Amino acid sequence: MAERDVDLFVIGAGSGGVRAARIAASYGARVMIAEEFRVGGTCVIRGCVPKKLLVYASRFSDDFEDAAGFGWSVEKPVFHWPTLIANKDREIDRLEAAYMSTLERFKVELVRSRAIFEDAHTVRLTASNACVRAGTILIATGGWPHYGPKIPGLEHVISSNEALHLHELPKRIVIQGGGYIAVEFACIFAGLGSEVTLVYRGENILRGFDDDVREHLRNEMRARGITVTCGHTVTAVDKAGDEFVTHLSDKTTVAADKVMFAIGRRPNVMGLGLEKIGVKLHEHGGIEVDPYSQTSVPHIYAVGDVTNRVNLTPVAIREGHAFADTVFGKKPTRVDHADVPTAVFSEPEVGVIGLTEAQAREQLEVVDVYKTSFRPMKATLSGRQTRSFMKILVDGLTGRVVGCHLVGPDAGELIQLLGVAVKMGATKADLDATMAVHPTAAEELVTMREKAMTWRRAAAE
Ligand SMILES: Cc1cc2nc3c(=O)[nH]c(=O)nc-3n(C[C@H](O)[C@H](O)[C@H](O)COP(=O)(O)OP(=O)(O)OC[C@H]3O[C@@H](n4cnc5c(N)ncnc54)[C@H](O)[C@@H]3O)c2cc1C
């Protein structure tokens, strides 16, 4: 027998769940939300926010070095990892409290418990064993790091979760993975002074990104002293005293103080009891949903990483909001998953929107490619050996900008704004008609006149 009855029960107080709960409550629904760990979810507690704080920390080493070329003399800077982690944790506590007070303000009832399905309309709170009946249930349980096949010594391996809470900065770290989390952590640790080896099984890092971006970033990372080993995997990890010996598939070994895997994340569906209530999973492992985030069981919805659509915080938030508008605001709302701008907070940073060149060639008849690589102005006096890269892909028949790919300082900030133009359907002529802001790196985006090449399907076939 259910002890409580609500209009909406949300499982998971992360980005998607919190937004959905608050908006549904603002429409007058009685909402309860369960969280088994900490309010705020991956983004706030062990994802975007703590990571970005570490990214900031890691970039000071360059700033100290670069200052010399501008006349500053800085005594050998000393970095203290425990101070960074303690300050980061304080900020995360503050944000968690802010999330909780938002829920309170909107009269969303928060329960600190794991929630699982008892039946299609009832969830069980495992902390108290109490049952709650709900008219609508939203699954917003996010994702979890995946460690790949069971290899010897896997118990020694950490994920990004633990990397954010290490007691000390590892002098040497091996990171397996080639996605954005692996790349970002490689750059964070390198910037803080660790010796970093990045091991990736594919032929180049950042699979799914434009090939020129992948090549450019890999070269930049290597120039910064990161060992990037592609085409290999970690086959075993041995503990030898205080260090770990990582065995690679090419039979070489790398000794390190920490070994981290960031080889992907899996939707958090295990143990929820989805099988018994008939919620279908997609072949990619996420919960299958329609454009309104409705699952195969009509009163059960799912948003965010657990649906494995576009696994980013702003997308989870949009999906949560759209769900609440649709179901409780009576405003059916679909989320547009096309042209989502995104960043990789590597060093240098990556910002992208739209099609890669390979995708543009698959989808279009004619593709005009504009690209440039240049030394950032700051590097002239600092002497830093780094280059920025920008690429614009244009539909050769309509002139519409279909993809932008940036590598360089503040690429994440730039792509957010450029994303507005791309989303509005900007053409290359629109970019050309925009006056440059001088002297900036972004002016390159409106002054690239020379086509690097034109690709034509007819000629390619
Ligand atoms: C290291 C890292 C860096 C990232 N950086 C970025 C970035 O820079 N930009 C970006 O846009 N995205 C980034 N992401 C991705 C982003 O964090 C996620 O896309 C986003 O948090 C997904 O939100 P969500 O609501 O789907 O799930 P989550 O935020 O993961 O929330 C799910 C919540 O559900 C809880 N939960 C799970 N099961 C249960 C249960 N049965 N009962 C109760 N509670 C449960 C979990 O504890 C969790 O709090 C990063 C992720 C990681 C791991």
Short mmCIF file of all heavy atoms in Angstrom, two decimals, residues 17-38:
data_model
loop_
_atom_site.label_atom_id
_atom_site.label_comp_id
_atom_site.label_asym_id
_atom_site.label_seq_id
_atom_site.Cartn_x
_atom_site.Cartn_y
_atom_site.Cartn_z
N GLY A 17 16.08 16.47 -13.67
CA GLY A 17 15.05 16.21 -12.66
C GLY A 17 14.66 17.45 -11.89
O GLY A 17 13.46 17.71 -11.67
N VAL A 18 15.64 18.22 -11.47
CA VAL A 18 15.35 19.42 -10.67
C VAL A 18 14.54 20.42 -11.50
O VAL A 18 13.56 20.99 -11.03
CB VAL A 18 16.65 20.05 -10.12
CG1 VAL A 18 16.39 21.44 -9.56
CG2 VAL A 18 17.26 19.15 -9.05
N ARG A 19 14.96 20.62 -12.76
CA ARG A 19 14.22 21.58 -13.59
C ARG A 19 12.78 21.12 -13.79
O ARG A 19 11.83 21.89 -13.66
CB ARG A 19 14.94 21.76 -14.93
CG ARG A 19 14.18 22.63 -15.93
CD ARG A 19 13.93 24.05 -15.39
NE ARG A 19 15.13 24.82 -15.28
CZ ARG A 19 15.62 25.65 -16.20
NH1 ARG A 19 14.96 25.82 -17.32
NH2 ARG A 19 16.72 26.33 -16.01
N ALA A 20 12.62 19.83 -14.10
CA ALA A 20 11.27 19.31 -14.34
C ALA A 20 10.40 19.47 -13.10
O ALA A 20 9.24 19.90 -13.18
CB ALA A 20 11.35 17.83 -14.74
N ALA A 21 10.97 19.14 -11.94
CA ALA A 21 10.22 19.19 -10.68
C ALA A 21 9.76 20.62 -10.40
O ALA A 21 8.59 20.87 -10.05
CB ALA A 21 11.10 18.69 -9.54
N ARG A 22 10.68 21.55 -10.56
CA ARG A 22 10.36 22.94 -10.23
C ARG A 22 9.31 23.52 -11.19
O ARG A 22 8.37 24.19 -10.76
CB ARG A 22 11.67 23.73 -10.25
CG ARG A 22 11.64 25.11 -10.74
CD ARG A 22 12.91 25.81 -10.34
NE ARG A 22 13.78 26.15 -11.45
CZ ARG A 22 13.55 27.11 -12.31
NH1 ARG A 22 12.43 27.78 -12.25
NH2 ARG A 22 14.42 27.39 -13.26
N ILE A 23 9.43 23.21 -12.48
CA ILE A 23 8.46 23.77 -13.44
C ILE A 23 7.09 23.11 -13.24
O ILE A 23 6.05 23.79 -13.24
CB ILE A 23 8.96 23.61 -14.90
CG1 ILE A 23 10.29 24.32 -15.08
CG2 ILE A 23 7.92 24.14 -15.90
CD1 ILE A 23 10.30 25.81 -14.78
N ALA A 24 7.09 21.80 -13.02
CA ALA A 24 5.80 21.12 -12.78
C ALA A 24 5.13 21.70 -11.54
O ALA A 24 3.92 21.95 -11.53
CB ALA A 24 6.03 19.61 -12.62
N ALA A 25 5.92 21.94 -10.48
CA ALA A 25 5.35 22.50 -9.25
C ALA A 25 4.80 23.91 -9.50
O ALA A 25 3.77 24.29 -8.95
CB ALA A 25 6.41 22.53 -8.16
N SER A 26 5.49 24.66 -10.39
CA SER A 26 5.02 26.02 -10.67
C SER A 26 3.66 25.99 -11.38
O SER A 26 2.93 26.97 -11.37
CB SER A 26 6.06 26.81 -11.48
OG SER A 26 6.04 26.36 -12.82
N TYR A 27 3.34 24.86 -12.01
CA TYR A 27 2.01 24.71 -12.64
C TYR A 27 0.97 24.18 -11.65
O TYR A 27 -0.15 23.87 -12.02
CB TYR A 27 2.09 23.75 -13.83
CG TYR A 27 2.81 24.31 -15.04
CD1 TYR A 27 3.89 23.63 -15.61
CD2 TYR A 27 2.41 25.51 -15.63
CE1 TYR A 27 4.55 24.12 -16.72
CE2 TYR A 27 3.07 26.01 -16.74
CZ TYR A 27 4.14 25.32 -17.28
OH TYR A 27 4.78 25.82 -18.37
N GLY A 28 1.40 24.00 -10.40
CA GLY A 28 0.45 23.58 -9.37
C GLY A 28 0.48 22.10 -9.04
O GLY A 28 -0.32 21.64 -8.22
N ALA A 29 1.40 21.35 -9.65
CA ALA A 29 1.46 19.91 -9.35
C ALA A 29 2.07 19.66 -7.98
O ALA A 29 2.93 20.43 -7.53
CB ALA A 29 2.29 19.20 -10.42
N ARG A 30 1.62 18.58 -7.31
CA ARG A 30 2.25 18.15 -6.05
C ARG A 30 3.42 17.24 -6.46
O ARG A 30 3.19 16.19 -7.06
CB ARG A 30 1.27 17.39 -5.17
CG ARG A 30 0.12 18.23 -4.61
CD ARG A 30 -0.95 17.34 -4.02
NE ARG A 30 -1.41 16.37 -5.01
CZ ARG A 30 -1.70 15.09 -4.75
NH1 ARG A 30 -1.59 14.60 -3.54
NH2 ARG A 30 -2.11 14.28 -5.70
N VAL A 31 4.63 17.71 -6.15
CA VAL A 31 5.81 17.02 -6.69
C VAL A 31 6.70 16.51 -5.57
O VAL A 31 7.00 17.23 -4.61
CB VAL A 31 6.64 17.98 -7.59
CG1 VAL A 31 7.79 17.22 -8.24
CG2 VAL A 31 5.76 18.64 -8.64
N MET A 32 7.17 15.28 -5.73
CA MET A 32 8.19 14.73 -4.83
C MET A 32 9.38 14.31 -5.70
O MET A 32 9.20 13.81 -6.81
CB MET A 32 7.63 13.52 -4.08
CG MET A 32 8.51 13.04 -2.95
SD MET A 32 7.83 11.57 -2.15
CE MET A 32 6.73 12.28 -0.97
N ILE A 33 10.60 14.55 -5.18
CA ILE A 33 11.81 14.19 -5.93
C ILE A 33 12.73 13.39 -5.02
O ILE A 33 12.91 13.75 -3.85
CB ILE A 33 12.50 15.46 -6.52
CG1 ILE A 33 13.63 15.09 -7.47
CG2 ILE A 33 13.01 16.38 -5.42
CD1 ILE A 33 14.13 16.29 -8.29
N ALA A 34 13.25 12.28 -5.54
CA ALA A 34 14.16 11.45 -4.73
C ALA A 34 15.58 11.58 -5.25
O ALA A 34 15.80 11.59 -6.47
CB ALA A 34 13.72 9.99 -4.80
N GLU A 35 16.53 11.69 -4.32
CA GLU A 35 17.94 11.74 -4.71
C GLU A 35 18.72 10.81 -3.79
O GLU A 35 18.66 10.94 -2.58
CB GLU A 35 18.46 13.18 -4.63
CG GLU A 35 19.95 13.32 -4.83
CD GLU A 35 20.47 12.67 -6.11
OE1 GLU A 35 19.96 12.96 -7.21
OE2 GLU A 35 21.40 11.83 -6.01
N GLU A 36 19.50 9.92 -4.43
CA GLU A 36 20.23 8.93 -3.61
C GLU A 36 21.61 9.43 -3.21
O GLU A 36 22.24 8.86 -2.32
CB GLU A 36 20.36 7.61 -4.35
CG GLU A 36 21.23 7.65 -5.58
CD GLU A 36 21.40 6.29 -6.24
OE1 GLU A 36 21.02 5.26 -5.64
OE2 GLU A 36 21.92 6.26 -7.36
N PHE A 37 22.10 10.49 -3.86
CA PHE A 37 23.44 10.97 -3.50
C PHE A 37 23.37 12.44 -3.10
O PHE A 37 23.03 12.75 -1.96
CB PHE A 37 24.41 10.71 -4.67
CG PHE A 37 25.83 11.08 -4.38
CD1 PHE A 37 26.50 10.55 -3.29
CD2 PHE A 37 26.51 11.97 -5.21
CE1 PHE A 37 27.82 10.91 -3.01
CE2 PHE A 37 27.83 12.33 -4.95
CZ PHE A 37 28.48 11.80 -3.85
N ARG A 38 23.66 13.34 -4.01
CA ARG A 38 23.60 14.75 -3.63
C ARG A 38 22.77 15.53 -4.65
O ARG A 38 22.80 15.25 -5.85
CB ARG A 38 25.01 15.34 -3.55
CG ARG A 38 25.82 14.75 -2.40
CD ARG A 38 27.18 15.39 -2.31
NE ARG A 38 27.10 16.81 -1.98
CZ ARG A 38 28.16 17.60 -1.89
NH1 ARG A 38 29.38 17.11 -2.09
NH2 ARG A 38 28.02 18.88 -1.60
#
